[in-house]
Amino acid sequence: LDATGLVDRGNSGRGIDLQIGSGPTTVGGTDAADRNVISGNGSNGIIIWGSDNNVIINNFIGTDVTGNAALGNGADGVALGGTSASNLIGNVGDGNIISGNANDGVENDATGINNLVYYNVIGLGFDVVTPVPNGRHGVVIYDGANNTWVYQNLIAGNTTSGVVIDGNGNAATTANTIAGNYIGTDLSSNPKPNGSHGVHIFDGATLNAVGGTPAAYRNVISGNGVDGIRIEGAATSGNRVENNYIGTNIAGDAAVASGNNGVFIVGAPNNTIGGATVNHRNVISGNGNNGILLDAATATGNTIQGNYVGLNAAGDTAVPNVDEGVDLSDAPGNTVGGTSAAERNVISGNGDIGVLLIGAGTTGNTVSANYIGVNAAGDAPVANGRSGVYIEQGASSNTIGGATAGHGNVISGNVEDGIYVTSVGTTANSVTNNYIGTNAAGDGTVPNGDRGVQVESGASGNFVGCLLY
């Protein structure tokens, strides 16, 4: 920039280039007077290539000197490549403003480990309110194993997705962690949408974590343009989503809707949403379509357990997803719930159906030990807008409940039927050991608005109250 810090006088290449062997180097410092404004350059603002132990703190990268208007670098704000390892981008009280760049805010294409993106503002201005979007994503991770922690950043207002974990087709992008961030809102839970997804994991990325069991690891992933979290592709497996608020404010008690689904698993197998302790629980509520959607034949072996879907964080008041709580669409062999109270989802308060199983490819799924249509205590209604469970269009050989009393669901308090089974070809579904229309203790009424179980319109060979062997 020029001496005023307001006019682009960019270098034609990179602003700062840290090459092999250049670390440790510090760019910026802990005082405001140490701040660099690194903007307007023709390529990346900063590139770290094969260099370790560098510290990038308290800079404006892609904005003017005020930090609130874009004077973007022509490529990424900060780019890492080669074998770069153990680099620190931001720190507590000394984060960078990385906004307004033509491509990504931060792109990590390095194969080194333990790079940390920490406490930065990525896509907003220095006032942490004004959108100053990067032209693509906030943060992108390619090809890194045990590579990147994206921790306690504000990632909002970017043109496409907030955080992208891209397996690049070779399953090398593995064991990265996205924790403690605001993704799609400002610090006051006002929506500042990333234009596409909050977090997008795809193309063979494996074993990555979004959130984690410590309280400080909770992400708020809300207000984004499309899905809160999208996990996509037949080789994208073993990823974990735990302890996040997805579609709500930071308190978990009001909607800050993403445009479509809270979590969308598209053809991706063996991922886990939630877990078997309260510290794994996601609150997935307030979203514009479904809370959780699983779609396509390769979306198999996924586990959804321990979550509140359609409720506030206290589990007693509706924060509706507009459509279904959980939607299994041509997705086989998944588990919603488990065999114990610890694995229970509470799927209540949604605008349409609690759990929908739809399509001839929806086979061999188990929906067990959940509360559907009641509060987390299981003693009062928090109604889903239609049926608790709806099985249709050829969905077959699914189990609602299970072989023992501990497998049963409480399906009560819903506006229409407890369970509705319909359509020719919808067959061999088993409904066993559930409490339908009662409280969780089975000693008080929490009625569904219509029938307990309805089977109609050509559905045949389904089993209610007995087991299919």
Side-chain angles (χ1 to χ4, degrees):
L1 305 180
D2 75 349
T4 69
L6 298 171
V7 179
D8 185 343
R9 295 285 185 264
N11 302 292
S12 62
R14 298 151 178 164
I16 295 176
D17 192 338
L18 304 179
Q19 286 287 329
I20 295 171
S22 61
T25 295
T26 298
V27 180
T30 57
D31 296 330
D34 298 329
R35 174 180 299 135
N36 300 289
V37 183
I38 306 168
S39 302
N41 299 288
S43 182
N44 301 301
I46 301 173
I47 188 166
I48 302 172
W49 185 271
S51 182
D52 305 337
N53 300 305
N54 299 288
V55 176
I56 313 296
I57 54 174
N58 201 22
N59 303 288
F60 289 175
I61 305 172
T63 74
D64 68 8
V65 71
T66 72
N68 291 319
L71 284 176
N73 296 291
D76 304 314
V78 179
L80 293 89
T83 59
S84 300
S86 301
N87 294 286
L88 177 63
I89 313 300
N91 206 348
V92 176
D94 295 312
N96 303 284
I97 308 299
I98 309 175
S99 302
N101 298 287
N103 290 347
D104 304 314
V106 178
E107 179 182 305
N108 188 358
D109 197 13
T111 57
I113 65 172
N114 296 330
N115 295 294
L116 174 60
V117 180
Y118 185 26
Y119 223 81
N120 303 286
V121 176
I122 304 174
L124 299 181
F126 182 60
D127 62 6
V128 299
V129 174
T130 303
V132 186
N134 293 294
R136 293 194 311 196
H137 312 298
V139 178
V140 179
I141 305 168
Y142 298 106
D143 288 340
N146 302 299
N147 187 318
T148 304
W149 274 71
V150 180
Y151 186 46
Q152 293 191 341
N153 302 280
L154 176 56
I155 305 171
N158 296 288
T159 302
T160 50
S161 294
V163 178
V164 168
I165 305 177
D166 183 352
N168 216 14
N170 58 22
T173 309
T174 185
N176 301 289
T177 299
I178 312 301
N181 304 284
Y182 290 77
I183 303 176
T185 75
D186 64 20
L187 298 175
S188 299
S189 297
N190 298 305
K192 304 292 180 182
N194 297 296
S196 187
H197 313 300
V199 177
H200 191 190
I201 306 173
F202 68 105
D203 203 13
T206 62
L207 304 176
N208 300 285
V210 181
T213 56
Y217 286 15
R218 174 179 298 140
N219 299 289
V220 177
I221 306 173
S222 302
N224 295 287
V226 187
D227 300 315
I229 300 174
R230 185 180 179 109
I231 303 174
E232 185 171 9
T236 306
S237 66
N239 299 287
R240 307 187 317 278
V241 177
E242 53 195 26
N243 192 27
N244 303 288
Y245 287 178
I246 304 171
T248 76
N249 61 6
I250 184 59
D253 61 8
V256 185
S258 289
N260 284 359
N261 307 290
V263 178
F264 189 9
I265 298 179
V266 191
N270 302 316
N271 300 283
T272 300
I273 312 302
T277 75
V278 66
N279 294 328
H280 290 92
R281 175 186 301 143
N282 300 289
V283 176
I284 306 172
S285 303
N287 295 287
N289 286 347
N290 304 293
I292 302 171
L293 172 60
L294 276 63
D295 184 33
T298 51
T300 185
N302 296 288
T303 300
I304 300 166
Q305 61 185 202
N307 304 289
Y308 288 175
V309 184
L311 294 157
N312 63 356
D316 59 10
T317 303
V319 182
N321 296 295
V322 170
D323 292 325
E324 277 71 55
V326 177
D327 184 336
L328 306 181
S329 181
D330 286 315
N334 300 286
T335 299
V336 180
T339 59
S340 69
E343 296 170 327
R344 171 188 305 137
N345 299 289
V346 184
I347 306 169
S348 302
N350 297 287
D352 206 298
I353 294 159
V355 179
L356 174 64
L357 297 93
I358 182 170
T362 304
T363 63
N365 297 287
T366 299
V367 179
S368 60
N370 303 289
Y371 288 178
I372 303 173
V374 297
N375 62 10
D379 60 7
V382 184
N384 293 298
R386 292 177 61 199
S387 298
V389 177
Y390 200 107
I391 308 172
E392 67 169 336
Q393 295 184 23
S396 299
S397 301
N398 301 288
T399 299
I400 313 301
T404 70
H407 296 175
N409 303 284
V410 176
I411 307 173
S412 303
N414 298 288
V415 171
E416 295 182 358
D417 301 309
I419 299 174
Y420 187 87
V421 184
T422 186
S423 309
V424 172
T426 303
T427 187
N429 297 289
S430 175
V431 178
T432 59
N433 275 310
N434 302 288
Y435 286 179
I436 303 174
T438 77
N439 62 10
D443 60 7
T445 62
V446 185
N448 294 294
D450 206 333
R451 301 164 180 86
V453 179
Q454 178 166 333
V455 183
E456 68 162 20
S457 298
S460 62
N462 298 285
F463 294 78
V464 180
C466 60
L467 294 176
L468 174 62
Y469 293 100

